[in-house]
Amino acid sequence: MAVSLSVSTVKPLGDRVFVKVSAAEEKTAGGIILPDNAKEKPNVGEIMQVGTGKLNDKGERQAMEVSVGDKVLYSKYAGTDIKLGNDEYVLLSEKDILAIVS
Amino acid sequence: MAVSLSVSTVKPLGDRVFVKVSAAEEKTAGGIILPDNAKEKPNVGEIMQVGTGKLNDKGERQAMEVSVGDKVLYSKYAGTDIKLGNDEYVLLSEKDILAIVS
Amino acid sequence: MAVSLSVSTVKPLGDRVFVKVSAAEEKTAGGIILPDNAKEKPNVGEIMQVGTGKLNDKGERQAMEVSVGDKVLYSKYAGTDIKLGNDEYVLLSEKDILAIVS
Amino acid sequence: MAVSLSVSTVKPLGDRVFVKVSAAEEKTAGGIILPDNAKEKPNVGEIMQVGTGKLNDKGERQAMEVSVGDKVLYSKYAGTDIKLGNDEYVLLSEKDILAIVS
Amino acid sequence: MAVSLSVSTVKPLGDRVFVKVSAAEEKTAGGIILPDNAKEKPNVGEIMQVGTGKLNDKGERQAMEVSVGDKVLYSKYAGTDIKLGNDEYVLLSEKDILAIVS
Amino acid sequence: MAVSLSVSTVKPLGDRVFVKVSAAEEKTAGGIILPDNAKEKPNVGEIMQVGTGKLNDKGERQAMEVSVGDKVLYSKYAGTDIKLGNDEYVLLSEKDILAIVS
Amino acid sequence: MAVSLSVSTVKPLGDRVFVKVSAAEEKTAGGIILPDNAKEKPNVGEIMQVGTGKLNDKGERQAMEVSVGDKVLYSKYAGTDIKLGNDEYVLLSEKDILAIVS
């Protein structure tokens, strides 16, 4: 049962998204500077895969606000890190995404 | 995937707002004085971008009470700080906004 | 973006109210005495501004129980202190108001 | 803005009640004895004023189970103490009332 | 305002019940033995009075599962102890009753 | 008020079940081995009595997923231990049952 | 009451699933590398059995997003470990599954 994981085969559950983390140098080059005394420093990444949405009380999936390709700011302490080859990814709940920045 | 962030491209998710923080000297000049023994000192800022609203149990977006351009008092310990050039911004949930002051 | 704050321009959000704190001497003169071993000493103040009410699950604003001009007892440890000139104010959630006393 | 507080002018908010605390000697005389190792010793008092009831999710006030004049047992650690003249009062949420005892 | 408390005049509020605690010797005589390393030792008692039931979201009282006269096992650490003469009683929420044992 | 407790007279309340604990030697003999570093070791038992189900928001009892006679795995740290003669029992909420294993 | 446990007889309750844990060597071979400083390292496993779904407020079972045979990433600290012969299994709530990876 060897698991051969590639970006295209990851299907996040519920309101989760699969995000490619932007390298640190790219982030500051792009204009965003996080103050040293920031309460909670956000990270920047690009959404690669989107879940089917959270199930609400009526048994319906709630539409996601983000889409594949969106660049997003997300809470630094949220989610689960995953490494594929040399790239870093994170599996996040949509509620930990602060804003779309592109 | 360099991210070029400018105020106009930030789209806060859910009930979040993107706020430009007012400089400290301006705040006291404007008349508001926060007592030293304040339980929770509020900050002052101007809303630059507004999210689409929180999704309620019926799957509808709840209308936001604040709009772009509003000057607001918000809880000092809430939100995520972001710096763009020399200006400070904060990404806040609407529930952390105490009052509109303009 | 200097903020010129006056009582009439403060619009509390949600179920919040803007309260002018009564001076301590006035409170005891008026007959109310708080025992030294009180579990939670209430403060007394007058409501200057009232929010539009909390949004319920049906997306409607819930009517506020208090009105501008009401004298109220409120929990001492609740809310956010603000000073305008020589007067003290507090921004409170309606749920932290214990009783109307006038 | 001197506040002249009397029992008849206190209007508790929501599901709160305004209770006159029974003196300790009266309580034991009446037959109720609280064991020394009681997990949570109740107090005894008489209800003087009753709030309009808690607002439920449908925006309606829920009827209160207690009325003015009821003698009640209530949790010792609940509520806010207030002294008027020589008498002690407490502002309580109805959920902290354990039983009507008269 | 002397309070003359007797078992028949106690009306528990909400989903509370008024329970007469069984003496310890009776409990082991009846066959129930609680292991020394029990995670949470239950007590045994008889229900003397029953509240009107918890108010649900629709504003209706939920029927109680227990009745006056039921012998019950209840969580040892729950409720409020009360002593009337030589007998011990406890005011409990129905959710702290584990089982009817008669 | 001596309480004569036997298995057939225990009626669990709400979503609780009354479970006879399987002896430790039987459990390993049956094939299930719990690793020493298990995060949370489950116990095995047989359901002797089943409650009427949890009351949902509409005032209806929710059907139980387990029945009398089911062998179940349940969380080791959940519930209340009871000893009848030489046998050990536990009163559990259905949500602490992990799986039916027979 | 010896319990003879085999994979095919485990019926998880509610929204739980029964997962066969992939051996560590298989996981890295498959391409997924977990960084040493990962906030929360996920595990990989294959779903062997699926519960009937969580009961929602309307008394209906919510459909599960995962099926028998799915390879999944799940939170390392979630669930209950079980060993059958030489194989490791885990009983998980569906909400602790992060993504399907096959």
Side-chain angles (χ1 to χ4, degrees), chain C residues 12-89:
Chain C
L13 287 206
D15 73 338
R16 290 187 181 86
V17 294
F18 188 55
V19 172
K20 186 179 182 185
V21 181
S22 299
E25 60 266 45
E26 290 183 290
K27 270 182 283 179
T28 54
I32 184 169
I33 301 172
L34 303 172
D36 285 345
N37 61 346
K39 283 164 288 191
E40 176 193 10
K41 290 191 191 180
N43 279 356
V44 179
E46 180 177 353
I47 293 183
M48 309 307 284
Q49 301 284 348
V50 174
T52 52
K54 195 177 176 177
L55 212 54
N56 67 12
D57 286 348
K58 295 191 294 185
E60 300 161 351
R61 298 272 163 201
Q62 293 185 329
M64 302 284 285
E65 259 193 289
V66 293
S67 309
V68 171
D70 285 346
K71 308 284 189 307
V72 293
L73 288 178
Y74 61 91
S75 170
K76 189 188 183 179
Y77 301 108
T80 304
D81 296 334
I82 291 171
K83 198 164 187 175
L84 287 178
N86 289 324
D87 295 324
E88 290 181 30
Y89 295 85

Side-chain angles (χ1 to χ4, degrees), chain A residues 20-22 26-27 29-35 37-42 44-46 56-58 60 62-66 71 73 94-102, chain B residues 1-6 9-16 18 43 51-53 55-59 61 74-85 88 90-92:
Chain A
K20 186 177 181 185
V21 181
S22 298
E26 289 182 292
K27 269 183 284 178
I32 183 168
I33 302 172
L34 303 171
N37 61 344
K39 285 165 286 189
E40 177 194 7
K41 290 191 193 180
V44 178
E46 180 176 353
N56 68 11
D57 285 350
K58 296 191 295 186
E60 299 161 352
Q62 292 185 328
M64 303 284 284
E65 258 192 292
V66 293
K71 309 284 189 306
L73 287 178
E94 191 188 47
K95 71 173 160 37
D96 292 317
I97 300 181
L98 304 169
I100 302 171
V101 293
S102 62
Chain B
M1 201 190 88
V3 174
S4 188
L5 193 71
S6 64
T9 62
V10 175
K11 297 198 312 193
L13 287 205
D15 73 338
R16 289 187 183 89
F18 188 54
N43 279 356
T52 53
L55 212 54
N56 68 11
D57 286 350
K58 295 191 294 186
R61 299 270 163 202
Y74 62 91
S75 171
K76 188 188 184 178
Y77 301 108
T80 303
D81 296 334
I82 290 172
K83 198 162 187 176
L84 288 178
E88 289 181 31
V90 64
L91 271 161
L92 282 177

Side-chain angles (χ1 to χ4, degrees), chain G residues 8-83:
Chain G
S8 62
T9 63
V10 175
K11 296 197 317 192
L13 287 205
D15 73 338
R16 288 186 183 88
V17 294
F18 188 54
V19 171
K20 186 177 180 185
V21 181
S22 299
E25 58 265 45
E26 290 182 292
K27 269 183 285 179
T28 53
I32 184 169
I33 302 172
L34 303 171
D36 286 345
N37 60 345
K39 284 165 286 190
E40 177 194 7
K41 290 191 193 179
N43 279 355
V44 179
E46 180 177 353
I47 294 183
M48 310 306 285
Q49 301 284 348
V50 173
T52 53
K54 195 177 177 180
L55 212 53
N56 68 11
D57 286 349
K58 296 190 295 187
E60 300 161 351
R61 299 270 164 203
Q62 292 185 329
M64 302 284 284
E65 258 193 291
V66 293
S67 310
V68 171
D70 284 346
K71 309 284 188 308
V72 292
L73 288 178
Y74 61 92
S75 170
K76 188 187 184 179
Y77 301 107
T80 303
D81 294 336
I82 290 172
K83 197 163 187 174

